[in-house]
Every structure is written in structure tokens, then in C-alpha cells.
Amino acid sequence: MEDSHNPSTITADVHVNPTNATTTFTKQTVPDSEPDVQILTSSGRRIHAHASILGSVSPVLENIIDRPRKHRSSGKLIPILGVPCDAVSSFVGFLYSSRCTEEHMEKYGIHLLALSHVYLVPQLKQRCTKALGERLTIENVVDVLQLARLCDAPDLYLKCMKLVTSRFKAVEQTEGWKFLQDHDPSLELQILQFMDEDESRRKRRRRHREEQSLYMQLSEAMECLEHICTEGCTSVGPYDVEPSKKKVPCSKFSTCQGLQLLIKHFAVCKKRVNGGCLRCKRMWQLLRLHSSICDQPDSCKVPLCR
């Protein structure tokens, strides 16, 4: 525990070294006047600062500073509790310089996100949201998810949800998940609902792709059917096309060849009269489909089109 009677002071050209990482504030960022507010941390340590700087960056701190004081001669004291003292020092450093080192973000990113949300510092909140999103792991994702929900950080919340969904079996084994089950069942329900909705979205996308694939196959089959009945292909063609003109494969020969085999079977099958052949049923379906979409029935050579 640090001595509360030996405060660390933030003033012009003074180095603040709470974490053995020196933060410097120059005369360009600090007014010439003496510090006029003190920030009290959880450890009892006091950080001296300038009201004009704090109020210009954070509207919440501005409101606190502008509250009437019982004793006009007394200095203004702002308690920032519930987070480590070094995180508060880093927070105050950002208010002065609009900068935060990667080392501080690595150590205090979660605390800085909470402080930026509570004291309405959007620049720091954006920085923390991005940094925490880049540092997500299986072990910390539940904790970050809870914080993202509390701090109204939708981008970070969604990123956490996606990681939990994709690695749910591993996340289930973490202490964070066990704590969540015991203390935050509503968030657990939200996660499970998100997973269910994600699976439903996957199924819809998969079904849409299958439908698109089927549509493309049917569209190509219609083109090949019209091509076979109008021009002829390698082995099947209209009666008025000479055999010598039916030997060159077309550009969609893989589909066209299968359709030619189906037409040949359809022409000789004995079961199709009674509707007992599946291959013939498929051919009938193709002919009916073509008939329903053909826009030139009077000149079309596909059977049953008229």
C-alpha cells in the first residue's frame, strides 16, 4: 500500500511513474497554473491534476468539478475507486495527452474501458474497444463480453459472441464461464440464444446456396434442352437436322450429355406410359418446366411447348 501522504503529482514537465513506465506531460498540454483538483484512488493515493484539463475532455468530470463545495477554500477531491491505482494514473495520462502506451493497454485495457465509459471519454473508449478485440482469448472472452455489455460496446460485444460461438466447447471449460453460469444467467441465456440464431442463419445461408445451385442447374438444363431440340448436339437432335451436324460438343456438354441420355431413355422406355419410371418422370418435369417459362411457344421445337 502506498503512503497516502506522499501523492504523485501531475504537473508541467513532471514525470509520473506509477508503473515504472514514465509518462511525461509537456507545457503544451498543461496550463501554467498550479493543479487545483485531486483524484483519490482505491489505494488512498492522490493524483493532482488541473480541473480545466479534466473538464475539457470528460463532461462527467466537468459536472463533478462544477458542483458547489461546502468550503470554498478546500481543494476539490474526485474519488475514482474500484480500479487499480495505476489504471487511474493511465486514465488521467490519457486525459492530458490523448495517448496510451501499448504496455498500459495490455495491463489495464479492461479497467480503462470501464473508466472511459463511466466518464464519457469516447476517444479512449474506441481505443480500448479495438485493443481488447485484438487481445481476445478463450480465457478472457467471457470477462470481456460481460464488460462490453455493461459499457455499451456493441462491436466488442459481437466479436466476443462470435468467438464464444465458434469455440464454445473450449469456453465452457474456463473459470469465466463457470462464474457466468453462477452469477449472470441472463447473459448465459443471451449467449445460447445468439448461438441458436447463428446456427439458424447458417442453415438459411446453406439452404439459399442450395436453392441457388438448383436454380442454376435447372436454368442450364433448360438452355441445353432448347439447344438439343433446336440445333442438336453430339447424339441427339431434331428430326430435321442432318446427322453430320450433330457431332460437335457444345460449351455445356457435361449437362447436355446427361440430358441426351435422359432423352434417349425417354424415347424407348416402356414404363413411362403408366408413370412407373423415375427417369421418365424427371424428363416430364423438365418438359413441363420449359413449357411454363418459354416465351416463344409458337416457334419453339421443344416437345409439349405448345
Side-chain angles (χ1 to χ4, degrees):
M1 180 73 72
E2 297 186 28
D3 185 359
S4 61
H5 298 290
N6 184 24
S8 174
T9 303
I10 298 179
T11 58
D13 296 326
V14 172
H15 297 279
V16 180
N17 189 15
T19 59
N20 295 324
T22 302
T23 304
T24 303
F25 303 101
T26 66
K27 290 181 179 179
Q28 283 75 21
T29 59
V30 180
D32 294 332
S33 60
E34 291 296 320
D36 51 359
V37 295
Q38 297 180 45
I39 296 175
L40 178 65
T41 67
S42 296
S43 66
R45 179 180 176 183
R46 299 189 180 199
I47 302 174
H48 291 229
H50 296 81
S52 59
I53 294 291
L54 304 185
S56 66
V57 181
S58 167
V60 175
L61 289 174
E62 182 181 27
N63 289 336
I64 294 174
I65 292 168
D66 289 342
R67 286 175 185 168
R69 282 174 280 180
K70 292 182 179 179
H71 305 288
R72 287 290 175 182
S73 59
S74 64
K76 191 67 178 180
L77 185 65
I78 303 174
I80 298 183
L81 311 175
V83 296
C85 172
D86 293 343
V88 178
S89 295
S90 182
F91 174 66
V92 175
F94 185 89
L95 298 182
Y96 273 80
S97 64
S98 297
R99 292 192 299 272
C100 185
T101 66
E102 290 298 322
E103 181 184 359
H104 282 196
M105 191 60 68
E106 181 73 32
K107 290 181 178 179
Y108 314 118
I110 288 179
H111 305 296
L112 290 173
L113 176 58
L115 290 171
S116 68
H117 175 71
V118 171
Y119 293 100
L120 298 180
V121 185
Q123 300 89 342
L124 179 58
K125 186 174 182 179
Q126 184 178 13
R127 172 81 187 277
C128 292
T129 298
K130 181 180 178 181
L132 289 173
E134 293 171 350
R135 292 170 170 81
L136 282 180
T137 65
I138 297 298
E139 293 299 326
N140 72 10
V141 64
V142 174
D143 295 332
V144 177
L145 176 61
Q146 290 177 297
L147 183 63
R149 183 179 65 158
L150 292 173
C151 293
D152 189 25
D155 292 343
L156 183 59
Y157 178 87
L158 181 59
K159 196 165 187 177
C160 292
M161 278 292 198
K162 288 181 177 180
L163 179 57
V164 171
T165 300
S166 63
R167 301 293 303 278
F168 184 67
K169 292 296 182 183
V171 172
E172 268 190 315
Q173 306 305 315
T174 64
E175 291 300 321
W177 179 260
K178 295 173 184 177
F179 181 87
L180 177 73
Q181 287 183 305
D182 293 335
H183 298 89
D184 198 347
S186 64
L187 182 55
E188 180 187 6
L189 179 60
Q190 288 180 25
I191 293 172
L192 297 177
Q193 288 175 338
F194 182 90
M195 293 173 60
D196 184 63
E197 291 170 0
D198 182 70
E199 180 60 27
S200 297
R201 287 191 294 269
R202 290 175 184 271
K203 288 181 179 179
R204 286 196 298 269
R205 287 195 295 267
R206 185 162 54 246
R207 186 166 58 249
H208 178 70
R209 287 195 297 268
E210 291 172 354
E211 291 172 352
Q212 287 294 105
S213 176
L214 178 60
Y215 174 80
M216 295 301 297
Q217 291 175 14
L218 288 174
S219 178
E220 190 169 289
M222 293 299 98
E223 292 180 14
C224 289
L225 179 62
E226 187 174 349
H227 155 68
I228 292 170
C229 295
T230 303
E231 304 168 355
C233 200
T234 54
S235 60
V236 178
Y239 68 92
D240 56 348
V241 176
E242 296 181 10
S244 59
K245 296 183 180 180
K246 304 176 188 175
K247 301 301 181 183
V248 181
C250 64
S251 60
K252 300 177 181 177
F253 185 66
S254 59
T255 301
C256 207
Q257 185 181 35
L259 196 53
Q260 289 182 81
L261 294 174
L262 192 61
I263 292 173
K264 286 182 177 181
H265 169 83
F266 184 75
V268 298
C269 182
K270 304 299 183 182
K271 295 181 181 179
R272 66 184 176 89
V273 176
N274 298 322
C277 178
L278 292 177
R279 296 178 68 186
C280 289
K281 285 182 179 179
R282 191 177 306 136
M283 189 68 220
W284 277 113
Q285 289 173 346
L286 291 174
L287 292 173
R288 290 193 186 99
L289 177 60
H290 170 84
S291 178
S292 66
I293 63 176
C294 183
D295 57 356
Q296 296 179 335
D298 294 335
S299 59
C300 183
K301 293 185 177 182
V302 177
L304 302 180
C305 192
R306 294 189 180 87

